[in-house]
């Protein structure tokens, strides 16, 4: 039975994000060498200004390069310190998500069981249709015997409608499978992008701190910190957005479960449901699409908390294009 959300994948993503610092040694020594060169240039420039009489001796500006160098030397420990508040936010949001996802998965399984019951009933109706069709193939023999075939043909028309209903129902299941896949891709891609972006920032981050020694790149390390915190919030915001989205999904699931139970107990409602899908399943599909598109807005939402630019705008443009495409499909 297919799950709406695979919780094991999120556990894998969390573990990968926390172990990104295993990759920091790739360029760490190069960044330390660059930092040393930058410090020589910086101290040479400051010494020249003092010798020329343009500036007086100031101790605090001279300590700044040493502080940046210490960050590079103890880079893994610095990453752990930055991750600590991010992990606290992530754990709190994950707890809220865990309570919601268990309810959604229970409703999802109940709904799938009812859908399987509807599918079995359609299969039985199709088998009956084939039997009636074989009886109709001997129509000429029955006519020679003086048997009235009109009731038989009327019954065949009913089973023909049942066969068309099965085609409608199959198409509906295909659309639902596509929508669930889109929802899962939108949910997983944010966490995957977080690992990629955070990995790049961790691996190349020491260069930002090394260049910050020079006056022309003075704020590079602040930009790096803002972007890393912004990316680190993706997982926590993802759990929050999914928790909110699951409120809509739960409503759609409960509404459709009620409809499916009523459909299985009434033949006329059964034919109407499989022929023309009701509003309940439409709301369920729409809620999944809305939830998936909401996940793509997380890079922009994270910039509201820690102001930064770049990745958020790019993914925001992608989310806008996806929303337009989904709107065109629904039309």
């Amino acid at each position: 039975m297919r799950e709406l959300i695979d919780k094991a994948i999120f556990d894998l993503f969390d573990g990968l994000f926390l172990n990104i610092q295993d990759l920091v040694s790739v360029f760490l020594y190069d960044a330390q060498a660059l930092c040393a060169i930058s410090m020589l240039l910086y101290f040479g420039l400051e010494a020249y200004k003092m010798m020329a009489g343009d500036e007086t001796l100031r101790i605090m500006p001279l300590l700044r390069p040493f502080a940046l160098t210490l960050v590079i030397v103890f880079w893994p420990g610095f990453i752990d310190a930055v991750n600590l508040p991010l992990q606290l936010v992530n754990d709190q949001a994950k707890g809220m998500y865990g309570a919601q996802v268990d309810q959604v998965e229970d409703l999802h399984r109940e709904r799938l069981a009812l859908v399987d019951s509807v599918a079995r009933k359609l299969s039985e109706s199709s088998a009956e249709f084939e039997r009636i069709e074989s009886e109709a193939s001997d129509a000429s023999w029955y006519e020679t015997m003086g048997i009235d075939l009109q009731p038989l043909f009327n019954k065949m028309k009913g089973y023909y409608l049942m066969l068309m209903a099965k085609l409608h129902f199959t198409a509906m299941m295909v659309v639902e499978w596509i929508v669930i896949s889109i929802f899962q891709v939108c949910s997983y891609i944010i966490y995957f992008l977080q690992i990629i972006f955070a990995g790049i920032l961790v691996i190349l981050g020491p260069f930002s701190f090394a260049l910050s020694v020079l006056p022309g790149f003075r704020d590079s390390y602040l930009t790096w910190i803002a972007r890393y915190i912004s990316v680190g919030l993706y997982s926590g915001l993802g759990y929050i957005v999914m928790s909110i989205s699951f409120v809509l999904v739960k409503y759609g699931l409960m509404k459709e479960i009620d409809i499916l139970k009523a459909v299985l107990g009434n033949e006329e409602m059964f034919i109407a449901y499989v022929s023309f899908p009701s509003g309940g399943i439409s709301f369920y599909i729409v809620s999944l699409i809305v939830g998936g598109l909401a996940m793509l807005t997380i890079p922009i939402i994270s910039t509201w908390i820690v102001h930064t630019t770049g990745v958020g705008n790019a993914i925001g443009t992608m989310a806008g294009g996806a929303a337009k495409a989904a709107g065109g499909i629904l039309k």
Side-chain angles (χ1 to χ4, degrees):
M1 184 177 293
R2 187 182 185 187
E3 293 182 339
L4 187 61
I5 286 292
D6 190 348
K7 292 181 285 187
I9 292 182
F10 290 106
D11 295 334
L12 174 63
F13 287 152
D14 290 340
L16 291 175
F17 177 74
L18 294 176
N19 292 305
I20 289 176
Q21 55 265 38
D22 295 340
L23 306 174
V24 300
S25 60
V26 179
F27 297 108
L28 187 57
Y29 296 113
D30 296 330
Q32 292 174 357
L34 178 61
C35 185
I37 296 173
S38 300
M39 288 179 67
L40 288 175
L41 294 174
Y42 177 79
F43 287 134
L45 180 61
E46 291 297 316
Y48 176 78
K49 291 179 180 179
M50 294 177 189
M51 288 187 296
D54 293 338
E55 291 186 5
T56 59
L57 179 62
R58 293 182 299 171
I59 302 300
M60 294 305 296
L62 297 178
L63 294 178
R64 181 174 177 273
F66 288 104
L68 294 172
T69 302
L70 287 175
V71 171
I72 298 175
V73 171
F74 298 102
W75 185 250
F78 175 74
I79 295 298
D80 290 335
V82 176
N83 282 338
L84 181 59
L86 297 176
Q87 187 62 30
L88 292 176
V89 173
N90 184 66
D91 291 341
Q92 292 292 330
K94 191 174 183 179
M96 179 174 60
Y97 154 83
Q100 291 285 343
V101 73
D102 290 337
Q103 299 177 22
V104 170
E105 286 295 342
D106 290 341
L107 291 172
H108 181 63
R109 293 190 194 90
E110 182 179 357
R111 176 189 167 277
L112 284 180
L114 292 171
V115 169
D116 289 341
S117 299
V118 172
R120 284 195 298 270
K121 189 171 182 179
L122 271 175
S123 299
E124 294 171 358
S125 300
S126 299
E128 182 68 14
F129 166 75
E130 293 175 357
R131 186 185 64 81
I132 297 298
E133 186 180 29
S134 63
E135 293 180 3
S137 61
D138 298 329
S140 58
W141 184 81
Y142 284 116
E143 289 175 356
T144 57
M145 298 295 294
I147 300 175
D148 185 12
L149 296 177
Q150 190 61 37
L152 182 62
F153 285 115
N154 290 338
K155 195 173 183 181
M156 275 191 61
K157 292 178 182 179
Y159 283 105
Y160 173 76
L161 295 177
M162 182 65 69
L163 182 60
M164 294 304 297
K166 185 175 182 179
L167 296 177
H168 283 294
F169 185 77
T170 302
M172 180 183 69
M173 291 295 101
V174 172
V175 171
E176 181 183 317
W177 181 86
I178 294 174
V179 170
I180 292 178
S181 298
I182 293 174
F183 176 77
Q184 291 177 337
V185 169
C186 292
S187 299
Y188 300 153
I189 195 172
I190 292 298
Y191 292 83
F192 185 68
L193 290 177
Q194 181 191 33
I195 294 172
I196 293 177
F197 296 154
I200 294 173
L201 288 171
V202 168
I203 293 172
L204 300 179
F207 288 105
S208 296
F209 282 77
L211 291 174
S212 297
V213 174
L214 301 175
F217 302 94
R218 184 179 183 86
D219 295 330
S220 295
Y221 77 100
L222 295 176
T223 302
W224 182 93
I225 292 174
R227 288 180 176 172
Y228 185 80
I229 294 176
S230 179
V231 170
L233 289 173
Y234 283 9
S235 56
L237 290 173
Y239 289 128
I240 294 174
V241 171
M242 279 194 294
S243 298
I244 297 173
S245 300
F246 284 161
V247 174
L248 294 175
V249 174
K250 281 195 300 182
Y251 175 80
L253 284 170
M254 289 187 294
K255 187 174 182 181
E256 189 179 351
I257 287 172
D258 293 338
I259 292 174
L260 287 169
K261 289 179 179 179
V263 161
L264 290 172
N266 187 295
E267 193 67 26
E268 294 181 358
M269 290 182 63
F270 175 79
I271 297 297
Y273 176 80
V274 295
S275 301
F276 306 99
S278 62
I281 192 168
S282 298
F283 185 86
Y284 173 59
I285 291 178
V286 169
S287 65
L288 289 177
I289 294 176
V290 170
L293 295 179
M295 290 293 293
L296 297 180
T297 65
I298 287 175
I300 297 178
I301 297 174
S302 66
T303 61
W304 298 351
I305 303 171
V306 179
H307 180 68
T308 184
T309 58
V311 176
N313 292 336
I315 298 184
T317 303
M318 181 180 67
K324 292 180 181 179
I329 293 174
L330 292 176
K331 289 180 180 180

